[in-house]
């Protein structure tokens, strides 16, 4: 008597997600678009709070994040900036304060020639860090943008869009 369905009869999304993540980490040939879609499939047993579920959920989340960032880096190296950006943005959706994911998104924007989008991504991340943790992005994150910002004729670019603007005296 069999209690479990055989693998051809049932597809288990978590197992599929894990195979995809391991394949990316082991640098197997993968379909990048399909991999992003597989790694975007929500969390394990939402609404369950048993200890074993919390542990497995966190383990799976870390595996997904590592795979998405790995995929983003590989796609940047191959010049596939749109796929790299999709992978980075999915990692950001999973973990909004993860600096390495934001850095991947910024790199993808910059390499695609979208400086304004890269700057918006940076400003959004910086604002979120300041609001939630009262810290600034790392120097490495700042260094992603500084060499690419225009030097002339703009004398000053305010990276801090969160600073209050003062009214001019009349």
């Amino acid at each position: 008597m069999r209690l479990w369905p055989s693998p051809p009869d049932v597809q288990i999304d978590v197992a599929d997600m894990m195979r995809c993540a391991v394949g990316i980490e082991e640098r197997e040939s993968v379909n990048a678009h399909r991999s992003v879609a597989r790694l975007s499939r929500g969390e394990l047993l939402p609404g369950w709070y048993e200890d074993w579920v919390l542990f497995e959920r966190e383990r799976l989340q870390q595996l997904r994040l590592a795979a998405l960032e790995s995929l983003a880096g590989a796609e940047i190296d191959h010049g596939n900036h749109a796929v790299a950006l999709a992978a980075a943005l999915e990692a950001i959706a999973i973990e909004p304060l993860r600096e390495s994911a934001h850095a991947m998104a910024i790199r993808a924007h910059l390499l695609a020639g979208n400086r304004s989008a890269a700057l918006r991504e940076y400003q959004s991340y910086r604002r979120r860090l300041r609001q939630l943790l009262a810290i600034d992005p790392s120097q490495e994150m700042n260094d992603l943008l500084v060499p690419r910002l225009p030097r002339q004729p703009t004398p000053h670019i305010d990276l801090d869009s969160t600073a209050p603007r003062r009214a001019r005296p009349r």
Side-chain angles (χ1 to χ4, degrees):
M1 181 166 116
R2 290 179 71 169
L3 296 176
W4 299 101
S6 61
D9 298 327
V10 173
Q11 184 175 358
I12 302 170
D13 59 348
V14 172
D16 186 40
M17 194 182 309
M18 290 178 72
R19 276 192 303 274
C20 178
V22 169
I24 290 168
E25 291 299 316
E26 292 178 354
R27 305 279 192 238
E28 292 177 4
S29 177
V30 296
N31 178 313
H33 291 286
R34 188 174 298 143
S35 295
V36 171
R38 283 182 180 153
L39 294 169
S40 300
R41 292 187 186 147
E43 66 181 32
L44 177 68
L45 299 173
W48 289 42
Y49 300 102
E50 286 78 12
D51 288 343
W52 72 271
V53 174
L54 296 174
F55 175 79
E56 288 301 320
R57 185 180 297 145
E58 179 65 21
R59 188 176 69 82
L60 183 61
Q61 179 171 309
Q62 293 305 315
L63 182 67
R64 289 169 60 205
L65 287 167
L68 285 162
E69 287 182 356
S70 219
L71 182 62
E75 293 305 305
I76 284 173
D77 292 344
H78 290 104
N80 299 327
H81 305 125
V83 178
L85 181 59
L89 292 176
E90 184 56 39
I92 291 167
I94 294 169
E95 185 61 55
L97 298 178
R98 190 172 173 101
E99 186 166 290
S100 52
H102 284 277
M104 284 290 179
I106 289 169
R107 285 183 58 211
H109 280 306
L110 289 170
L111 291 170
N114 300 317
R115 292 186 310 173
S116 62
L119 186 56
R120 277 193 314 272
E121 181 68 36
Y122 174 86
Q123 289 172 332
S124 171
Y125 175 63
R126 184 176 188 191
R127 190 172 32 257
R128 189 175 292 146
L129 273 182
R130 283 184 168 185
Q131 288 172 346
L132 298 175
L133 301 176
I135 62 173
D136 285 323
S138 70
Q139 187 59 47
E140 292 83 10
M141 181 70 123
N142 293 336
D143 291 345
L144 282 174
L145 286 173
V146 172
R148 291 174 172 88
L149 294 177
R151 299 208 188 271
Q152 295 296 334
T154 307
H156 175 71
I157 294 177
D158 183 13
L159 292 177
D160 185 9
S161 65
T162 62
R165 302 193 188 271
R166 296 183 185 188
R168 293 184 183 182
R170 293 183 185 192

